[in-house]
Amino acid sequence: MKPHPRDILVGAQAGAFALPVCDHYSGVEARMRKSLQLQAELSAEFGACVFDVTLDCEDGAPVGGEAEHAALVTELALGAPAAARVAARVHPVNHPHFEADVATIAGQAGARLCHLMVPKVESVADVERAVAAMDAAGAAALPLHVLIESPAAVHRAFDIAAHPRVASLSFGLMDFVSAHGGAIPASAMTLAGQFSHPHVLRAKIEMAAACHAHGKVPSHNVVTEFKDLPALQNAVRKAATELGYTRMWSIHPDQIRAIVAAFSPAEAEIETALAIVERAAAADWAPVQHEGRLHDRASYRYYWQVIERAHQTGHALPETVRGWFLA
């Protein structure tokens, strides 16, 4: 049997976790149910799960109804299809309902969740507190995703990303801007401003760099202008090609396809990757040439990542290559 590319090629430093390119958030019951239904429909259409569904307690739970909302999230997670990728965002670690959220959701549905998202993480101590709550709930194997939402959190992002239970860091744009006490204008929260204001750009790049240094997935913040899909796709491309992000949040169903399309490799790049990797495999991963250029395992690694991303975003791949993903 031919060796698998993952067994031959050195893994990317940032490749410890492979996640769908879109993370869709909803916190109202009807929208949470619709999100799970849409996930199943798009998984059937694309042949792969192209987005996670994160059921939201932080912004979704009404004040005074936190316990009931956590119970609803647990019920929905337990009732999701077996192939679903469903997660939950709980309250921050210093919120009065944090421990109860984790005990209910992770304690009862931890085996059905793909991860638990904890917002407003400021330090490694906050991560440890979240991990302790998850472990106490019996969810010691559940990956942890965290939201970086303040200047102090950005400063500590490398230490936070280094924690072994953390699989992904997400950037929280609105909270980051408002954490500056008016020093950053509201325009920096807009679709255009968030890619031009120097403090926001620095924070985004620092957080992405922390993720790549420790093998974690950097997830870009939401774009609130959800009706302008061409502008959204442009924002996703900037996040992916200029800032180093490999995943992005969605807050409206119409954003999901746009995000998946923007993170997808171009057809020409997929064709090049297939030609190089298939030729490399046929040569038992010795150096080969393609269109007058010499390639070896360093470039094979890049083009294999292109193929992986193509598979992850639902591109049809040749039979020989599909076999690698069934292995």
Side-chain angles (χ1 to χ4, degrees), residues 7-325:
D7 298 329
I8 296 297
L9 305 177
V10 177
Q13 188 172 18
F17 293 89
L19 299 175
V21 297
C22 181
D23 191 6
H24 181 65
Y25 276 72
S26 54
V28 177
E29 180 176 0
R31 292 173 187 163
M32 290 191 288
R33 293 186 185 277
K34 183 178 180 181
S35 298
L36 289 167
Q37 180 183 351
L38 182 60
Q39 186 189 65
E41 292 170 358
L42 291 191
S43 293
E45 177 184 337
F46 283 93
C49 184
V50 294
F51 72 97
D52 286 345
V53 171
T54 298
L55 308 176
D56 188 17
C57 291
E58 186 189 19
D59 293 335
V63 175
E66 290 88 355
E68 291 79 7
H69 194 80
L72 172 62
V73 165
T74 302
E75 175 192 336
L76 292 173
L78 289 172
R85 284 186 56 88
V86 56
R89 175 166 70 163
V90 296
H91 286 89
V93 295
N94 58 358
H95 191 279
H97 288 272
F98 167 72
E99 276 84 5
D101 278 354
V102 177
T104 299
I105 300 168
Q108 297 179 36
R112 287 293 298 114
L113 298 177
C114 56
H115 65 266
L116 196 75
M117 166 61 77
V118 177
K120 296 180 174 56
V121 167
E122 292 285 304
S123 63
V124 173
D126 288 348
V127 174
E128 292 288 1
R129 184 171 174 182
V131 167
M134 293 161 69
D135 290 352
L142 185 61
L144 175 64
H145 292 199
V146 302
L147 255 170
I148 300 298
E149 304 180 72
S150 74
V154 170
H155 176 69
R156 302 179 186 120
F158 279 81
D159 294 334
I160 292 169
H163 196 284
R165 283 289 287 278
V166 172
S168 176
L169 272 62
S170 293
F171 184 67
L173 172 66
M174 273 70 82
D175 277 286
F176 178 80
V177 170
S178 62
H180 283 75
I184 298 178
S187 60
M189 294 187 282
T190 64
L191 198 150
Q194 65 175 287
F195 289 101
S196 61
H197 194 282
H199 278 290
V200 175
L201 274 178
R202 180 194 63 81
K204 287 184 180 183
I205 292 169
E206 281 289 300
M207 200 207 81
C211 287
H212 292 305
H214 293 290
K216 311 304 169 68
V217 176
S219 188
H220 194 269
N221 55 268
V222 299
V223 168
T224 55
E225 296 93 331
F226 60 85
K227 292 186 177 181
D228 192 346
L229 295 183
L232 169 67
Q233 282 196 303
N234 185 53
V236 184
R237 289 191 188 98
K238 283 180 176 289
T241 62
E242 297 177 15
L243 306 185
Y245 284 80
T246 57
R247 179 170 158 101
M248 185 166 178
W249 285 32
S250 159
I251 54 169
H252 191 280
D254 290 347
Q255 293 183 321
I256 295 170
R257 287 182 184 273
I259 291 171
V260 173
F263 270 114
S264 299
E267 289 296 337
E269 188 175 26
I270 296 172
E271 290 176 10
T272 298
L274 289 170
I276 292 171
V277 171
E278 288 182 319
R279 185 173 295 182
D284 293 326
W285 306 100
V288 301
Q289 63 170 322
H290 176 75
E291 296 182 345
R293 295 184 63 188
L294 186 66
H295 293 275
D296 59 18
R297 294 188 189 186
S299 56
Y300 297 161
R301 175 169 68 169
Y302 172 82
Y303 288 110
W304 169 244
Q305 290 161 9
V306 171
I307 294 172
E308 286 187 307
R309 198 164 73 254
H311 171 73
Q312 198 177 33
T313 50
H315 285 267
L317 296 172
E319 181 93 23
T320 53
V321 174
R322 284 203 304 272
W324 281 328
F325 294 100

